[in-house]
DNA sequence: CGGCAATTTGAAGGCAGTCAATTAAAGTGG
DNA sequence: CCACTTTAATTGACTGCCTTCAAATTGCCG
């Protein structure tokens, strides 16, 4: 399909950014140092609010299990899901207050870190400093990458999302979508109807197949970033 | 115009994030410390490439004058302008290589900072550490804010862009657009035709007025974030 | 003044949105 | 375990916003 090959980049520029999980596994020393600062884990059920827009951003969160989303609600009731966070991801960077609400997209458990503690530890341990900078940088890259979807078709947006999710969650083929279609639609700037139709379309193109409404298998290996 | 009021947020959650310029002005000590590390300034003419996608990200850039843009080119020749950077802004955060090309959107001069030098200085001076973290955080917020435009109308996108540009450039009313329409269109995910039509539309609504093709005056004070 | 680039305006078509109805799945209580 | 309720997902017909293609106009710089 010509449109497809043209619209989608085969390579992923994010591949050089190790996930939080990878970096933490790499360095036991840092893990132990950070572990001493943690609060939690705290459990949240799906759709529970972890932090509100405007709340003081005293804590940084790390997803331990499940999926967490950041949202903005507009005055007309529309919602934008800015990002999803998977186990190992760190979220909640902000200067003073959270600019987005933080919510559990599935049942989830999260760890809390006092922001000032992280910063002061970073000034004593430059491995921690590099880790934090890398984490912030990789989240910036993800956000910028997501922003490039603004002028792309529904098909492109969905393929981008699926291959990203596949890579980040570490599964090479079958993806069990851990969040409802409405969340994905609000993340990609589509309606749930268009999302459903686009999945069907990709299926007809032979790019994906479905295992029930929440199960999707990516077929085209080019769409899966090589680890 | 009901649609307008509903679609656009009156408040800007970014207002709490000081710009690089403000923070640098605030603290002479940090300014002097960083100034010692600078290379440059280097001048670039409009459309000159400052760094290519894939280049080793050894240096962080600070805009001294003019406007710098970060871009991605797709295989079909389409371009996405991910962000614009104004004087005082820091850009080029990356793990190992730049994931976007960095180009001069107008004639511009930039300063260079060796990334490893910045990081090691941050581990010695926690004011510098906080500065860097704040700068990275505020850029993350801008990128996330931009990503929320993905499901909004052309009018919303343009108003968002204009009020942001007005606030960041420090001008309260008349904005001299420092970049061509094509750059703005590629940034907002629109065509230049739609951009032009949308400007005309805003003018007919009485929200803006024009002083020539590059000059725009915002009328509705609600759209200008209060400093 | 001439030539080129940038912007504006017009007309027609396409992709995604809206509205509405159906089907499937998940949660609840008996 | 099954009937019932509620939520989530799919499919269809139609509308609308933005794009595409084309042409005219303006502005800039030699």
């Amino acid at each position: 399909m010509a449109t497809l090959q043209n619209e989608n980049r085969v390579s992923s520029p994010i591949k050089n950014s190790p996930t939080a999980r990878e970096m933490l596994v790499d360095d036991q020393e840092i893990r132990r140092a950070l572990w001493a600062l943690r609060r939690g884990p705290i459990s949240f059920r799906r759709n529970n609010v972890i932090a509100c827009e405007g709340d003081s951003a005293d804590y940084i969160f790390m997803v331990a299990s499940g999926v967490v989303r950041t949202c903005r609600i507009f005055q007309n009731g529309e919602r934008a899901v800015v990002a999803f966070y998977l186990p190992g991801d760190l979220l909640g960077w902000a200067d003073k207050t959270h600019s987005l609400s933080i919510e559990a997209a599935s049942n989830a458990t999260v760890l809390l870190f006092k922001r000032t503690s992280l910063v002061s530890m970073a000034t004593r341990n430059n491995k921690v400093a590099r880790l934090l900078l890398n984490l912030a940088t990789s989240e910036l890259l993800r956000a910028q990458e997501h922003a490039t979807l603004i002028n792309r078709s529904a098909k492109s947006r969905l393929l981008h999302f699926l291959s990203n999710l596949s890579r980040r969650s570490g599964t090479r083929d079958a993806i069990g979508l851990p969040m409802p279609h409405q969340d994905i639609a609000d993340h990609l700037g589509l309606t749930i109807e268009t999302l459903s139709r686009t999945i069907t379309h990709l299926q007809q193109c032979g790019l994906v197949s479905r295992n029930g409404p929440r199960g999707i298998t990516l077929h085209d290996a080019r769409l899966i970033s090589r680890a």
Side-chain angles (χ1 to χ4, degrees), chain A:
Chain A
M1 191 138 274
T3 311
L4 201 99
Q5 299 213 354
N6 284 336
E7 278 193 347
N8 291 284
R9 295 161 53 83
V10 173
S11 66
S12 169
I14 293 188
K15 67 183 173 188
N16 288 322
S17 308
T19 65
R21 191 190 308 113
E22 290 165 351
M23 297 205 58
L24 287 178
V25 167
D26 280 353
D27 199 320
Q28 291 288 332
E29 173 197 343
I30 298 180
R31 286 187 75 184
R32 276 196 300 269
L34 286 179
W35 191 251
L37 294 179
R38 88 183 189 287
R39 303 277 195 286
I42 301 181
S43 291
F44 295 91
R45 310 194 54 168
R46 184 156 79 95
N47 293 330
N48 278 174
V49 174
I50 299 172
C52 283
E53 178 179 343
D55 277 2
S56 172
D58 297 327
Y59 286 91
I60 305 288
F61 306 99
M62 179 180 279
V63 182
S65 71
V67 181
V68 172
R69 67 180 180 233
T70 50
C71 306
R72 158 152 312 155
I73 306 290
F74 292 88
Q75 296 183 337
N76 60 1
E78 285 183 39
R79 182 184 69 157
V81 172
V82 174
F84 292 110
Y85 297 89
L86 303 183
D89 288 341
L90 218 56
L91 73 151
W93 296 109
D95 260 346
K96 296 191 172 73
T97 62
H98 292 295
S99 61
L100 303 166
S101 71
I102 301 173
E103 305 166 3
S106 69
N107 293 341
T109 57
V110 305
L111 307 176
L112 285 73
F113 297 90
K114 209 167 179 48
R115 193 164 60 101
T116 53
S117 303
L118 284 185
V119 172
S120 72
M121 170 172 275
T123 61
R124 293 191 305 271
N125 182 333
N126 60 12
K127 282 188 178 180
V128 173
R130 274 200 297 272
L131 172 68
L132 292 183
L133 202 52
N134 280 333
L135 288 173
T137 296
S138 68
E139 184 169 355
L140 175 60
L141 292 186
R142 275 212 310 276
Q144 290 180 336
E145 184 80 7
H146 183 230
T148 63
L149 297 179
I150 198 171
N151 65 340
R152 315 218 69 73
S153 69
K155 197 196 288 187
S156 289
R157 295 183 189 187
L158 181 55
L159 282 173
H160 183 95
F161 173 76
L162 290 176
S163 57
N164 258 358
L165 183 62
S166 169
R167 177 174 44 79
R168 288 176 61 197
S169 60
T171 61
R172 285 200 68 78
D173 42 2
I175 309 174
L177 297 179
M179 67 292 280
H181 281 195
Q182 185 66 64
D183 282 359
I184 300 173
D186 287 346
H187 180 56
L188 299 180
L190 305 171
T191 61
I192 51 174
E193 296 95 332
T194 300
L195 175 63
S196 180
R197 276 187 263 263
T198 306
I199 296 175
T200 302
H201 188 212
L202 290 184
Q203 192 179 13
Q204 289 167 346
C205 294
L207 289 170
V208 306
S209 59
R210 292 201 241 207
N211 331 319
R214 289 289 184 90
I216 288 188
T217 304
L218 281 178
H219 286 153
D220 195 333
R222 292 173 305 169
L223 296 173
I224 304 175
S225 318
R226 27 254 181 256

